Amino acid sequence: MKFANRLDLLRSNVFADMDRAKAKAILAGQDLIDLSLGSSDLPVSEPIIESIKESLSDPATHGYLLFRNTQHFREIVAQWYTNRYGIAVDPETEVLQLIGSQEGTAHLPLAILNPGDFALLQDPGYPSHIGGVYLAGGQMYPMPLTEENGFLPVFEEIPETVLAQARMMVLSYPHNPTSATASLSFFRQAVAFCQNHDLVLVHDFPYMDFVFPQPDNQTVTELAPSILQADPNKSVSIEFFTFSKSYNMGGFRIGFAIGNAELILALRRIKAVVDFNQYIGILNGAIAALTGPQDHIIQNMGIFRQRRDAFIQAMQDIGWTVPKPNATMYIWAKLPEPWSKDSIGFCQQLVEQTGVAASPGVGFGKSGEGYVRFALVHSPEVLVTAVHRIAEFLQSSQSTFNP
C-alpha cells in the first residue's frame, strides 16, 4: 500500500518511541512513575462537571454544532478576555472555538503557508508546531533557545534570506519545555519584528495561569502576559488558549483562539472542512469554568509550587542542581555526563532500569539535546521517590555532574 510522501516527515517520533519504552518497562515488572507527559493529575472542579452532566440529558445538545451555535461561548470568552487583559474583543469576528489549542496550532499553517514558505519556530518547542508546518508543505526555521539568552529567540540572528520567504512566527510563553517566561517588552519587540517583516505572529498560551510569582513581586499577568497586550489592535497576532492546564480539562479537548479577524476567518475556513466543532455540553462546561469561581486555580498552583520545590530539593540532595522555574509544570534539567549528548538514551535506560519515565530534550528540537524534561504530575512523595530512583540510576551509570 502506498502513502503520501508527507507521512515520511512524521514517521520519526521520539515520544512514540518513549511510549514503547514505557510499555516494555511495565511488561518487565517495573513500577512506572510517569513524569513524561504534561497532563495534570488534579480533578476538574465540580461546577464544570455538573454543567456537562446537565447537558447530556438534553437532547437538543446531541446534534452537530455549527459556528453560529458557538455564539454564547464566544461571547463569554470575549468578555473573560476583556476583563482579564483590558482589551476589547469582538466575539463574532475575533474569537474561534477550538478542539484544544493543539488543533489550532496544527491547522493554522494550512491557512498561511504555501509550499516552501518558512515558519519561524522555537527550538526547542512544542512538537505540534512543527507538525502543522510540515503538513502545510512549509519549511521550518528553528530559532535556537539557549540558557544564556533566557530561552528567548534572538530575532537579529534570523538570516535575511529566510525572512524573505517567511510567513509566520510561533512563540509560546510560559514555555514548554524550558519553563521560561517572557516579558511584555519582549512581546513588543516580537510584534514590531513581525510587523516589519510581514509575518503572522502566533502565540500558543496554554500556561497563562501556571506561574509562581514571588510574594509582593510580579503578578500572574506580568509573568505571563498576553501577546495582544503588545498588539492591542490585533494587527498581526493570534493567540491560542486551552482549558487543559488551568482547569485540568485535558481530556475534554476544548480551547479557543483570539486575534486578528482575518486570521480567525482563515482558520475557521480550514476547520469547516475538518470538523463540526466540539460537543456543546463541553462548551457549557467551559463556560462554567470561565464564569465560575477561580479559587481552585490558585489552590492548584499552590499544589504545583509544592511539587516543584520538593522535586528541586530532592535533586539538589543527590547533587543534581537545576534552576527553579517561575512557571509551568515542568523541570528542564541539563543532563550530566555521559548523557550530555544522548537524552534519548538517558530516558530509555532510565525507564527500563527504574520505571521513571521522562521526556528527552531532543524530542522538542535539536537545541533541546543535552536536557531532560520532568513533568510534576505526581504528589511530592512520589516525586521524591522518583528522584531516589534517578540517583541509583546515575550511580550505576557512573554519571558525573559538572559545576
Side-chain angles (χ1 to χ4, degrees):
M1 190 173 293
K2 294 182 179 181
F3 294 94
N5 294 335
R6 67 177 61 89
L7 280 183
D8 294 339
L9 297 169
L10 306 176
R11 193 177 304 278
S12 177
N13 188 320
V14 170
F15 300 104
D17 294 341
M18 283 304 303
D19 280 343
R20 287 189 286 271
K22 286 186 284 186
K24 183 178 178 181
I26 293 172
L27 287 175
Q30 291 287 1
D31 175 25
L32 186 69
I33 299 179
D34 195 348
L35 308 183
S36 66
L37 186 63
S39 179
S40 175
D41 59 315
L42 301 181
V44 177
S45 69
E46 194 58 31
I48 298 173
I49 297 298
E50 284 302 316
S51 180
I52 297 173
K53 284 182 179 179
E54 292 175 6
S55 301
L56 288 171
S57 61
D58 180 4
T61 70
H62 297 173
Y64 289 125
L65 185 65
L66 302 179
F67 177 77
R68 61 180 173 82
N69 303 122
T70 69
Q71 180 177 351
H72 182 48
F73 172 78
R74 288 182 279 111
E75 290 173 346
I76 293 297
V77 165
Q79 188 59 57
W80 168 87
Y81 185 89
T82 299
N83 291 342
R84 180 165 178 144
Y85 297 105
I87 298 171
V89 174
D90 184 344
E92 188 64 25
T93 63
E94 297 178 337
V95 181
L96 185 66
Q97 178 263 333
L98 299 172
I99 305 176
S101 62
Q102 180 166 321
E103 181 230 326
T105 58
H107 283 156
L108 185 63
L110 293 170
I112 297 175
L113 300 178
N114 288 314
D117 288 341
F118 273 102
L120 313 178
L121 305 182
Q122 294 168 302
D123 177 19
Y126 192 60
S128 78
H129 300 166
I130 301 173
V133 172
Y134 282 156
L135 289 176
Q139 301 185 72
M140 181 192 77
Y141 177 81
M143 299 184 292
L145 308 184
T146 64
E147 186 175 0
E148 293 75 18
N149 290 321
F151 297 110
L152 300 173
V154 180
F155 302 136
E156 294 75 19
E157 294 180 352
I158 302 172
E160 288 294 332
T161 53
V162 171
L163 288 172
Q165 293 180 257
R167 297 288 306 280
M168 64 186 291
M169 175 190 291
V170 181
L171 299 175
S172 182
Y173 291 100
H175 186 241
N176 176 15
T178 69
S179 297
T181 58
S183 66
L184 184 55
S185 63
F186 169 80
F187 280 154
R188 287 177 177 142
Q189 294 173 24
V191 169
F193 184 85
C194 289
Q195 289 172 335
N196 291 337
H197 294 280
D198 195 23
L199 301 173
V200 170
L201 180 51
V202 181
H203 186 229
D204 196 9
F205 201 24
Y207 297 97
M208 57 184 176
D209 289 309
F210 249 92
V211 297
F212 312 109
Q214 299 300 318
D216 301 321
N217 196 352
Q218 291 175 303
T219 65
V220 170
T221 52
E222 285 174 331
L223 268 177
S226 164
I227 197 68
L228 301 182
Q229 291 177 275
D231 187 13
N233 295 325
K234 311 175 192 75
S235 63
V236 295
S237 305
I238 186 170
E239 192 160 56
F240 293 111
F241 297 79
T242 178
F243 290 78
S244 298
K245 309 304 180 182
S246 299
Y247 299 99
N248 306 321
M249 295 175 67
F252 293 83
R253 308 312 306 138
I254 177 69
F256 56 90
I258 293 180
N260 177 278
E262 292 181 277
L263 293 174
I264 292 291
L265 178 59
L267 182 55
R268 178 182 164 189
R269 287 171 174 166
I270 296 295
K271 279 178 62 64
V273 298
V274 175
D275 64 68
F276 275 105
N277 299 306
Q278 183 60 284
Y279 167 55
I280 196 169
I282 303 299
L283 267 69
N284 291 338
I287 289 171
L290 294 181
T291 59
Q294 306 295 299
D295 297 350
H296 65 283
I297 294 179
I298 298 174
Q299 295 169 359
N300 291 347
M301 293 309 102
I303 290 171
F304 276 96
R305 184 192 290 267
Q306 292 176 349
R307 294 178 177 185
R308 176 201 65 177
D309 293 347
F311 190 87
I312 292 286
Q313 184 60 57
M315 292 283 276
Q316 289 177 343
D317 291 343
I318 69 171
W320 191 345
T321 300
V322 296
K324 182 181 287 188
N326 291 323
T328 79
M329 59 174 68
Y330 307 113
I331 302 296
W332 184 243
K334 187 175 294 186
L335 285 165
E337 295 293 345
W339 307 104
S340 62
K341 296 182 180 179
D342 187 13
S343 57
I344 294 177
F346 173 86
C347 289
Q348 289 179 335
Q349 292 192 37
L350 178 67
V351 70
E352 179 182 332
Q353 296 183 31
T354 72
V356 175
S359 294
V362 74
F364 300 94
K366 182 179 178 181
S367 295
E369 184 58 281
Y371 288 86
V372 59
R373 193 197 74 177
F374 299 102
L376 303 173
V377 292
H378 291 280
S379 68
E381 294 76 17
V382 174
L383 292 173
V384 171
T385 297
V387 174
H388 290 164
R389 295 188 192 177
I390 292 170
E392 294 174 359
F393 171 76
L394 293 175
Q395 291 174 355
S396 67
S397 65
Q398 296 181 334
S399 297
T400 58
F401 296 95
N402 294 320

